[in-house]
Amino acid sequence: MEDSRTNKILIVDDEAHIRLLIQQTLEDLEDQGVEILSADNGREALRLAEQEQPRLVFLDVMMPNIDGLQVCHTLKHELQMSNVYVVILTAKGQKYDLQRSQEAGADRYMTKPFDPDELLKLASNVLFE
Amino acid sequence: MPASPLRKLIKSRDVQVLSNLFSTLDPSLVVLDLEKRPLLGNSATPLEDSPELTALNHNGERVGWVASRDNPVCQSSTAAFLEYWLDKETGQRSLAAEVLDNYRELHLFYRFSEKLAASLQQDLIAQLALDEICPLIRSTHGYVALINEENNDRNVIAEYHQRPEQIPWLAQAGDFIQGVIDSGSAELTHLTADGQPIESERLAAISFLCAPLKTDKRLLGLVFLVGEGPRRFTAGDLKLVYAIALQTAPAIEIAFLHQLELEKTILERDLATARRVQAALLPQIMPTLKGWRIAALWQPARMVSGDLYEFLPFNDGKLGIAIADVTDKGVPAALIMANTRSVMRAVVSIMNRGQSIGPGKLLAEANRILHEDIPLGMFVTCLLVVLDPQTGEITYANAGHNLPYLRTTGGVLQLRARGAALGIFPESEYEEFSTRIQPGSTLLMYSDGLTEAHNPAGAMFDYPRLQQLLADQVDGQPLEAETLLKFLMSKLHEFTGPAWVQEDDVTLVAIERLAG
């Protein structure tokens, strides 16, 4: 049976340069037909996620209006998108944040500055394996 | 159909925004790729109706066209805007790519430091360094070699190959690597396709990079890497490899010291076993002779000793008492000590089957056998005393050992006897001397670890001090054999002080004839 899931990745971060860096990291995947979407706040992220049904979401924690953990929780528990793979990206690296990410339902937790190779590998695995 | 360069530069997320903008400005505007396929704007615009197309250039190369049926001014300004936009976009991406490279380097150091901390094997550390650095700077081939300090030989302990074939012109790297070893600083060189050195990195077909592995004390080895084809090494790669080499070198040094420590532990364990074995070679109990008290003490300077004492029972009831000292100390001396003991026992056992043989002949025979086994430059001093417990008469011969003292009621005498140490000449002979140990007298045999011990001021314990101590009495009574040895050792420690590091093995044997 053909996999009906989309090949879309959503990047959510209020900082433009982080969005650019993640996009640049995932450039090779774009050449393979992966569509990269981006949002600079939580509300837009939820709207795009619902509309585009991405397979993978990179989510910053500290954002205006709805923060990343809330977005994650809404995706996983309210929008019936429990299959979406959520990676929390944060500048903090404390145990407390890791725990809160897990409670929000995140699948993975990465700290900034992220390792580009690790991020690309993770995205490839989620989308193609 | 492959994506056109322009399509790669204008991402799908930009297409919508730019298309909206262009259709608002001029509904007939269309942006075409190099093959004149529409990319942005109104793809229905017939090109044949358009005036002359405006070329779209980026970085000095044509990447596409802009066409407008209705608005030539808009056509040229859109082309100008797109060229400006492409320039900004590529600049931004180049900057992002550089930041990502920095991120990669940063994470390389994170990972590398973490893994280094968990490894104490030189080859694993070297492999870790290669496996991290080579993919990052896209090196196709590399190795880490350690340099032998004594003969400058290079020993490759880790290798990296992206492909198995031999790298061309690798032989030419010899002088380059030697230059790095001589200068102690990392260097980079470029070669053309036919192996000629070339200044320009852009024109190079192959690059060599070499960084020394050094600590503040010494050069341990080197990292050598090869870059080929489109990915030649840059000055940035050189700095990165040098930084990794700076981290790798101390880790390799620590691994080396750890290995030494492990070997030392094994050696110490072996030595402890050797000490127990050697101690078992010495008499475990003192001979019991009616009217006599015999005591002995053996204190090696190291784990094992070159000193020995031995009691050799004769068939006619006499007792041979030998004390010997092998030149040097430690393991070599201990091996010769064990051999000397065996030879002395064998000689006494074989030669005393019939009538009793004197100590001089016994020493001569022992010397003849030992001479073949003792390496040049080593020898064994040995004093052999044969005691008749009935009469108290002693016969003795000396192969270069310290002269014994006889403590009598009338004073302390040094018993003189000279002869070459065992193992020096093949046919040495030993003169025999005799005297009698009277009741109340004690014979002391000792090794030079006692008389040649030094105090912190550099003074030697020496013979006069020993002779004086032997004359000491407690409550008007001479010290009995065992107490005498303990007394001498306490005086030795008093003399050398608490911080004394024992210089040589100390062995003492006291033969006391009971008074009355």
Side-chain angles (χ1 to χ4, degrees):
Chain A
M1 202 175 94
E2 204 176 306
D3 190 345
S4 62
R5 290 178 295 173
T6 66
N7 264 359
K8 291 177 183 170
I9 298 175
L10 173 61
I11 300 164
V12 190
D13 200 306
D14 59 333
E15 292 182 287
H17 75 280
I18 298 287
R19 293 197 302 274
L20 176 65
L21 286 173
I22 300 175
Q23 279 163 10
Q24 183 78 19
T25 303
L26 302 174
E27 197 182 22
D28 288 352
L29 296 182
E30 273 189 294
D31 295 342
Q32 297 170 50
V34 172
E35 193 179 339
I36 311 278
L37 311 161
S38 62
D40 63 3
N41 65 72
R43 199 164 288 144
E44 174 66 3
L46 287 172
R47 190 193 66 76
L48 262 179
E50 205 168 12
Q51 181 186 308
E52 302 287 339
Q53 296 289 312
R55 189 98 74 91
L56 169 64
V57 179
F58 289 102
L59 200 49
D60 180 34
V61 175
M62 297 290 283
M63 284 187 298
N65 61 63
I66 309 176
D67 77 20
L69 296 174
Q70 255 181 292
V71 171
C72 180
H73 189 271
T74 308
L75 285 175
K76 290 280 190 177
H77 299 103
E78 292 171 29
L79 293 179
Q80 316 303 321
M81 290 178 68
S82 56
N83 280 341
V84 69
Y85 194 98
V86 178
V87 181
I88 296 287
L89 270 174
T90 171
K92 300 178 183 177
Q94 294 162 338
K95 267 188 180 170
Y96 176 64
D97 294 303
L98 174 64
Q99 192 189 332
R100 291 204 311 158
S101 300
Q102 286 169 342
E103 283 166 6
D107 298 277
R108 186 76 185 265
Y109 178 88
M110 287 173 100
T111 51
K112 296 179 200 169
F114 58 86
D115 180 351
D117 296 331
E118 190 187 352
L119 193 131
L120 178 61
K121 201 171 152 190
L122 170 74
S124 302
N125 287 344
V126 171
L127 264 65
F128 302 125
E129 284 181 14
Chain B
M1 193 180 289
S4 71
L6 193 57
R7 165 59 79 200
K8 275 191 80 83
L9 289 168
I10 304 173
K11 297 286 179 188
S12 56
R13 58 183 171 274
D14 304 318
V15 169
Q16 193 64 46
V17 176
L18 291 171
S19 288
N20 287 346
L21 174 68
F22 297 156
S23 64
T24 311
L25 291 172
D26 173 7
S28 72
L29 192 85
V30 61
V31 178
L32 309 154
D33 69 12
L34 212 48
E35 284 76 35
K36 299 190 177 162
R37 290 170 299 196
L39 281 178
L40 300 168
N42 188 350
S43 58
T45 299
L47 290 182
E48 55 273 20
D49 293 349
S50 303
E52 200 178 330
L53 304 180
T54 305
L56 198 54
N57 297 319
H58 178 60
N59 280 346
E61 285 179 21
R62 182 145 308 158
V63 292
W65 308 91
V66 180
S68 170
R69 187 190 53 206
D70 304 334
N71 192 342
V73 177
C74 191
Q75 175 178 306
S76 57
S77 31
T78 300
F81 165 74
L82 271 178
E83 285 181 356
Y84 171 79
W85 184 86
L86 288 173
D87 195 41
K88 283 277 194 194
E89 181 68 14
T90 46
Q92 200 177 33
R93 281 193 219 166
S94 301
L95 190 62
E98 197 161 323
V99 171
L100 288 175
D101 273 347
N102 289 339
Y103 275 22
R104 285 192 179 89
E105 289 177 14
L106 184 69
H107 282 276
L108 177 144
F109 281 105
Y110 285 161
R111 277 197 308 274
F112 189 52
S113 303
E114 205 170 65
K115 289 176 183 171
L116 271 191
S119 186
L120 278 169
Q121 268 180 267
Q122 289 180 319
D123 51 349
L124 290 186
I125 291 166
Q127 197 64 54
L128 268 180
L130 286 179
D131 289 348
E132 287 290 347
I133 197 79
C134 288
L136 188 64
I137 66 168
R138 286 181 245 168
S139 169
T140 53
H141 171 97
Y143 65 77
V144 173
L146 295 186
I147 296 171
N148 186 318
E149 266 184 314
E150 284 166 15
N151 55 20
N152 282 328
D153 277 356
R154 289 175 217 157
N155 176 27
V156 173
I157 59 167
E159 285 182 280
Y160 180 91
H161 298 281
Q162 200 188 48
R163 54 185 181 80
E165 310 96 83
Q166 185 63 35
I167 303 298
W169 317 298
L170 203 54
Q172 294 187 15
D175 289 346
F176 168 66
I177 293 171
Q178 191 56 49
V180 169
I181 292 172
D182 295 341
S183 70
S185 52
E187 283 177 38
L188 171 63
T189 190
H190 303 296
L191 303 177
T192 60
D194 55 359
Q196 296 305 311
I198 186 171
E199 285 285 325
S200 167
E201 169 199 324
R202 289 171 66 88
L203 300 174
I206 191 163
S207 309
F208 293 149
L209 195 162
C210 187
L213 289 171
K214 58 180 184 181
T215 62
D216 57 344
K217 292 192 184 71
R218 64 190 184 109
L219 178 73
L220 305 175
L222 56 92
V223 184
F224 175 72
L225 302 172
V226 178
E228 288 178 280
R231 178 60 197 190
R232 279 86 51 175
F233 296 140
T234 62
D237 295 334
L238 181 69
K239 281 171 91 170
L240 183 65
V241 174
Y242 186 53
I244 286 285
L246 284 178
Q247 271 202 309
T248 307
I252 285 183
E253 180 82 326
I254 288 169
F256 173 69
L257 295 174
H258 174 72
Q259 188 58 35
L260 280 187
E261 193 61 33
L262 279 183
E263 285 166 10
K264 194 175 153 213
T265 305
I266 292 169
L267 191 64
E268 278 172 357
R269 203 175 55 208
D270 287 351
L271 278 175
T273 308
R275 184 187 176 111
R276 282 198 303 278
V277 170
Q278 192 179 35
L281 293 178
L282 296 168
Q284 300 303 298
I285 48 170
M286 294 296 112
T288 46
L289 297 174
K290 196 179 171 198
W292 296 84
R293 247 194 308 244
I294 299 176
L297 184 146
W298 180 73
Q299 186 173 301
R302 296 184 189 169
M303 291 293 277
V304 289
S305 164
D307 275 12
L308 81 93
Y309 66 92
E310 183 62 291
F311 301 110
L312 306 156
F314 285 31
N315 285 345
D316 55 6
K318 289 179 183 167
L319 179 69
I321 304 143
I323 185 168
D325 180 1
V326 182
T327 40
D328 208 348
K329 39 193 181 295
V331 173
L335 289 171
I336 293 177
M337 172 273 199
N339 190 28
T340 303
R341 171 185 177 268
S342 301
V343 168
M344 290 297 290
R345 286 170 69 92
V347 165
V348 170
S349 169
I350 293 164
M351 294 183 73
N352 273 309
R353 281 191 183 135
Q355 73 180 88
S356 190
I357 305 285
K361 284 201 169 56
L362 292 172
L363 279 182
E365 183 61 13
N367 173 66
R368 199 181 56 74
I369 298 168
L370 284 169
H371 179 261
E372 292 173 15
D373 298 339
I374 294 178
L376 198 66
M378 292 187 80
F379 54 84
V380 183
T381 67
C382 182
L383 172 69
L384 178 59
V385 176
V386 179
L387 167 72
D388 183 343
Q390 301 301 322
T391 61
E393 187 181 338
I394 55 169
T395 312
Y396 55 95
N398 191 7
H401 198 78
N402 305 79
L403 300 177
Y405 283 103
L406 182 61
R407 186 182 67 183
T408 69
T409 47
V412 179
L413 311 169
Q414 196 175 44
L415 302 185
R416 299 194 172 272
R418 305 245 175 250
L422 306 178
I424 297 179
F425 307 112
E427 300 291 342
S428 298
E429 292 191 349
Y430 300 94
E431 196 179 348
E432 293 178 0
F433 301 85
S434 293
T435 187
R436 191 176 296 269
I437 303 178
Q438 300 292 350
S441 295
T442 301
L443 178 73
L444 179 77
M445 301 159 78
Y446 57 94
S447 65
D448 59 6
L450 174 69
T451 46
E452 291 177 12
H454 291 84
N455 70 4
M460 215 160 71
F461 191 82
D462 224 338
Y463 301 97
R465 188 185 314 271
L466 175 59
Q467 192 160 1
Q468 178 58 47
L469 288 170
L470 284 171
D472 282 358
Q473 295 191 344
V474 176
D475 300 332
Q477 293 294 315
L479 295 168
E480 62 181 55
E482 194 167 341
T483 318
L484 173 69
L485 300 190
K486 286 180 184 163
F487 169 74
L488 290 176
M489 287 311 284
S490 75
K491 288 291 174 188
L492 174 65
H493 287 294
E494 207 174 279
F495 173 76
T496 54
W500 184 50
V501 177
Q502 190 178 332
E503 300 145 87
D504 200 357
D505 310 319
V506 177
T507 303
L508 306 174
V509 180
I511 317 288
E512 177 192 1
R513 187 172 186 186
L514 301 176

